[in-house]
Amino acid sequence: MAKIAGVVFFFSMMSAVYSFESKQVVLDKGNLLKEAKELQNIAITADGMLAVAPTVETVSAKELELISSFLPVSGTFLGGTNEGKIFSIKKTGQVDFEFDTKELLITSFVKFGSMIFASTIPNGKIYVKKGNEWSLFVQIPSKYVWKLYSKDKKLYAVCGLPAALYELSADGSVNKLLESEKVANFLSILIDGNSVLLGSSDAGHVYKFKLSDPTNLELINEFRGTDIIDILKLGTDVVIAANKSTSWQSFPVEFTPSLGKEDIGTIWRISDKTIEPLLSFPVFVNDIEESGGGVLVSLNSTGRLFLFRGTDRCELITSADTGSITAISKDDNTVYFCGSRRSIIGELTSRASESGVYFSKVFDTGFVSRLGSLQLDGVGRITVQIRTGNVADPDETWGVWSSPVDANMQNVSVSNGRYVQLRINLLGKDSKLERASLSYKNLNRRPLITKFDSLVQNNPMGGRQINLSWTVEDADKDSLSYSVYYRLENSKNWYSLSDLLTTNVFMVNTRDLPEGGLIFKLEASDHLSNHKDDTLTAESVTSRVTVDNTCPKLTFHFSGGKLSGYAEDSLTNVSLFMYQIDGGSWISFTSVDALLDSRREEFEIDVSLSLLDKGTHRIVVKATDGHGNSTLVGKSFVTK
């Protein structure tokens, strides 16, 4: 097992400081949003705590595939679709068809006095509802009417192809205030007294001019490669929502805001002295709306609604099951929003929900782990459920959710697993969670012996020695110790040669071992890095190794220059014959069959005596076995 660390695990990163303490999974208030997989009626406060979200009253217009724009009107809603049709939607869910513009898309609604106007693309048509009847109000020269804007009892149309701004009169007359060839579309507008700001597509231009002099168009900033989708006045500053127009395919799973940075969707602040990013997301911003001195922000691909206050406070207001929140609208200070899933329109109330559920991301403990105790830091009633598995994406192989746990230092009964997911239940409208931590311990992994070899060779100090060497891998990088044993091949009893070795080689002189066929065993243990209850070992054995410490028997006869005889060994083959006369040089010779491949070998050779003086001489014969054990036998003879 790896040296176990006391680690704070923020899901996306883990550092290791080794000790024998368990590791921890920690959900901290600074990371709760980033590490969320799914949120149900969950809010995150400005100080980062998990809380129950306000109640969202929803109306589902199931008959409509997608609501592209909507407008709250006297307890009902007008909804425009991506087929150019207009519907009335009651809070009971009843949907009534009102009008078919036969255009591609309804882009916006605006209430202007007793009338309601709707803009469309791609033919520059604007429709009006007077009483209960819809009709074509005007067709302007620009093809795309992106937004209708009402200010100081005047109505404006923000347009594209060409980019232009029109002032509309109640009688249907059109006054083109300005047109620009520098950009293709104007998308957004803010009128503050005599001052006007216009935001464009693609080039990200923000222009400024005065209603009294629309010909004097001033470029105040260029947010390159972005669409300026909305502009708001917030106190004395201007807030701009900009999306990078080149990032249509960039939809990561995370919807975590970053303060003071630029990303795919960014909220900018323009003051008298500075232009700076306030808040950004790795997805498109769909809409923004002023609320209580802050900015409400909705995102593409998620039902999360954020509220940004000041320069360092961002709250998750709600996490509704609506799909993308495509638009936000206010009516008498009540916030409404439109979701893409099942064409839901939601009303954000001031009443807290009774409960909320937070699902963490699945996180990886590295390998199979045993979970320990749970600790919670919060207020109200909070329970936690846990499930584990051994594949990264939860499937049918994962365990079921554990029973709810609501007490500190309580162990959670779940099966061991490599991957872990937490479900946090906030039970009660006042419940809040600041921190949850779960201890775990990686289960130890057994060492793996990949090689265990033996080699018999001469010992520099005399005799023969057996060199044992091995290679062992440990996935946990544990410190290992080794023990070496042997047994006779026909015995089951193992005898220790050495233990607590920390090197990967061991040598033993054959004279310290019994003769015969021996088997050597290596035992690798990770006890140096683990508690005794968690220690694991691995074993490996060699093939048969012969130990022969006995010299062969040698018998010979020498007469008239004829040398004959035999050598015999009980364990290994005879490997060498040599003779010498009168202490001269050793002369090697072979067996009768010239093979030297058996334990008994006979020999018969002629020895030349022609160079010897007459008299008594001595011949010595040496026979050596396969383990270097030698026998010398000498005899005297006489030459005449």
Side-chain angles (χ1 to χ4, degrees):
M1 178 180 130
K3 302 179 180 99
I4 300 171
V7 176
V8 174
F9 195 109
F10 287 96
F11 287 84
S12 58
M13 64 181 70
M14 182 171 64
S15 61
V17 180
Y18 292 116
S19 72
F20 285 98
E21 300 301 320
S22 62
K23 300 176 183 177
Q24 283 187 319
V25 172
V26 176
L27 277 174
D28 187 82
K29 66 178 183 179
N31 234 24
L32 283 165
L33 181 57
K34 183 177 181 180
E35 303 308 338
K37 175 68 174 179
E38 182 183 347
L39 305 174
Q40 297 177 3
N41 292 332
I42 286 293
I44 295 181
T45 64
D47 56 1
M49 294 183 70
L50 211 62
V52 178
T55 298
V56 175
E57 302 288 351
T58 61
V59 176
S60 179
K62 298 179 181 179
E63 295 89 340
L64 307 183
E65 181 178 346
L66 178 67
I67 298 176
S68 57
S69 57
F70 81 110
L71 179 70
V73 181
S74 302
T76 62
F77 306 95
L78 284 178
T81 71
N82 57 348
E83 297 175 337
K85 297 177 181 179
I86 300 173
F87 294 84
S88 175
I89 305 166
K90 294 182 172 58
K91 289 190 175 182
T92 60
Q94 178 180 335
V95 177
D96 296 319
F97 171 77
E98 289 206 358
F99 187 67
D100 187 357
T101 67
K102 302 187 183 304
E103 297 298 311
L104 180 65
L105 185 70
I106 307 295
T107 56
S108 72
F109 290 103
V110 68
K111 190 173 182 181
F112 188 67
S114 61
M115 297 178 289
I116 296 174
F117 290 84
S119 59
T120 67
I121 61 172
N123 297 304
K125 293 182 179 180
I126 299 173
Y127 293 83
V128 63
K129 182 179 183 181
K130 297 180 180 179
N132 294 321
E133 298 295 328
W134 283 95
S135 62
L136 178 65
F137 178 68
V138 69
Q139 183 173 9
I140 58 179
S142 295
K143 292 183 178 181
Y144 295 161
V145 184
W146 291 112
K147 186 169 187 175
L148 295 174
Y149 184 82
S150 174
K151 185 71 173 180
D152 299 331
K153 298 182 180 181
K154 293 183 179 181
L155 184 63
Y156 301 89
V158 181
C159 304
L161 297 181
L165 178 66
Y166 298 89
E167 182 182 336
L168 309 178
S169 299
D171 60 3
S173 61
V174 177
N175 176 28
K176 182 166 67 176
L177 294 179
L178 63 88
E179 181 178 324
S180 175
E181 297 179 352
K182 296 180 180 180
V183 294
N185 296 274
F186 289 134
L187 299 178
S188 51
I189 186 172
L190 173 67
I191 298 178
D192 184 20
N194 190 39
S195 179
V196 181
L197 292 179
L198 280 175
S200 78
S201 65
D202 302 327
H205 289 182
V206 177
Y207 294 96
K208 182 178 181 179
F209 69 96
K210 296 187 180 300
L211 286 173
S212 57
D213 184 14
T215 60
N216 186 15
L217 191 65
E218 175 189 357
L219 177 64
I220 63 171
N221 200 66
E222 182 177 1
F223 300 90
R224 293 181 180 273
T226 65
D227 297 329
I228 309 300
I229 65 162
D230 211 347
I231 309 175
L232 296 177
K233 186 70 180 295
L234 190 65
T236 59
D237 297 331
V238 171
V239 174
I240 289 176
N243 290 324
K244 290 185 177 179
S245 54
T246 57
S247 302
W248 286 102
Q249 301 302 316
S250 299
F251 295 117
V253 175
E254 296 179 6
F255 305 100
T256 307
S258 298
L259 298 175
K261 297 180 179 179
E262 182 182 2
D263 208 326
I264 291 175
T266 306
I267 309 300
W268 296 82
R269 178 174 62 184
I270 300 178
S271 64
D272 291 339
K273 297 181 179 180
T274 61
I275 298 175
E276 60 181 347
L278 295 178
L279 180 69
S280 64
F281 299 86
V283 291
F284 291 143
V285 172
N286 278 344
D287 201 4
I288 59 174
E289 183 73 44
E290 187 278 332
S291 178
V295 181
L296 283 172
V297 183
S298 69
L299 304 179
N300 196 24
S301 301
T302 178
R304 300 177 186 180
L305 191 62
F306 293 86
L307 177 62
F308 180 75
R309 302 177 190 268
T311 58
D312 59 356
R313 298 177 63 194
C314 184
E315 306 171 42
L316 175 65
I317 298 300
T318 188
S319 47
D321 185 23
T322 61
S324 297
I325 296 181
T326 56
I328 311 171
S329 183
K330 287 175 62 178
D331 185 29
D332 294 332
N333 292 321
T334 299
V335 175
Y336 299 92
F337 56 87
C338 181
S340 62
R341 183 176 299 156
R342 301 188 302 277
S343 296
I344 288 178
I345 296 176
E347 175 186 344
L348 191 64
T349 73
S350 58
R351 307 186 310 275
S353 302
E354 291 301 320
S355 63
V357 183
Y358 173 101
F359 293 89
S360 76
K361 289 182 179 179
V362 173
F363 67 93
D364 185 359
T365 66
F367 41 93
V368 177
S369 299
R370 181 174 65 248
L371 301 187
S373 62
L374 175 74
Q375 296 186 53
L376 303 176
D377 187 2
V379 295
R381 189 182 173 203
I382 304 169
T383 66
V384 178
Q385 294 170 268
I386 297 170
R387 63 175 178 171
T388 59
N390 288 305
V391 293
D393 296 321
D395 60 13
E396 66 278 1
T397 66
W398 272 56
V400 298
W401 288 105
S402 68
S403 299
V405 175
D406 59 5
N408 281 335
M409 302 305 293
Q410 183 170 340
N411 288 328
V412 183
S413 179
V414 292
S415 57
N416 297 332
R418 171 172 176 170
Y419 298 94
V420 182
Q421 186 179 23
L422 281 73
R423 169 181 171 149
I424 299 175
N425 308 299
L426 300 184
L427 306 176
K429 60 185 179 181
D430 296 324
S431 296
K432 292 182 180 180
L433 176 76
E434 180 176 348
R435 189 177 189 270
S437 63
L438 174 68
S439 65
Y440 69 92
K441 188 175 184 181
N442 297 136
L443 296 187
N444 192 13
R445 289 178 286 183
R446 193 178 303 278
L448 176 64
I449 301 174
T450 59
K451 185 178 73 170
F452 182 33
D453 294 332
S454 62
L455 176 64
V456 181
Q457 59 184 186
N458 291 328
N459 189 320
M461 303 301 293
R464 304 279 278 179
Q465 69 182 28
I466 299 175
N467 291 345
L468 300 172
S469 61
W470 53 87
T471 302
V472 182
E473 298 176 357
D474 189 276
D476 304 324
K477 308 301 180 186
D478 286 342
S479 296
L480 301 177
S481 68
Y482 310 101
S483 299
V484 179
Y485 304 86
Y486 76 91
R487 68 173 174 84
L488 292 169
E489 61 179 333
N490 296 321
S491 171
K492 295 182 180 180
N493 298 323
W494 290 99
Y495 301 94
S496 175
L497 283 173
S498 184
D499 57 11
L500 299 181
L501 296 170
T502 56
T503 61
N504 63 346
V505 64
F506 177 74
M507 293 174 290
V508 57
N509 195 301
T510 59
R511 294 172 181 173
D512 297 326
L513 296 169
E515 288 191 319
L518 301 184
I519 307 296
F520 292 91
K521 179 175 73 172
L522 174 70
E523 183 180 277
S525 171
D526 58 12
H527 72 94
L528 297 176
S529 296
N530 295 279
H531 187 274
K532 64 178 181 179
D533 294 337
D534 297 321
T535 295
L536 292 175
T537 61
E539 294 182 356
S540 182
V541 296
T542 64
S543 57
R544 181 184 186 277
V545 178
T546 300
V547 174
D548 183 1
N549 294 320
T550 302
C551 299
K553 295 179 180 179
L554 175 62
T555 300
F556 74 89
H557 176 72
F558 183 66
S559 177
K562 294 287 186 179
L563 178 63
S564 61
Y566 69 91
E568 186 174 17
D569 193 271
S570 60
L571 293 171
T572 55
N573 294 340
V574 176
S575 62
L576 179 67
F577 286 122
M578 302 182 78
Y579 74 88
Q580 69 172 189
I581 296 176
D582 295 340
S585 299
W586 284 102
I587 300 172
S588 61
F589 61 96
T590 189
S591 60
V592 171
D593 61 5
L595 293 177
L596 293 177
D597 60 352
S598 63
R599 296 179 185 176
R600 178 186 173 93
E601 293 286 353
E602 296 180 359
F603 56 88
E604 184 175 339
I605 63 171
D606 292 324
V607 177
S608 176
L609 305 177
S610 61
L611 299 179
L612 295 178
D613 296 333
K614 294 178 181 180
T616 300
H617 301 276
R618 186 170 180 81
I619 185 170
V620 177
V621 178
K622 179 166 70 174
T624 304
D625 64 19
H627 276 205
N629 303 302
S630 297
T631 298
L632 289 80
V633 177
K635 290 185 178 182
S636 297
F637 64 94
V638 176
T639 59
K640 297 179 181 180

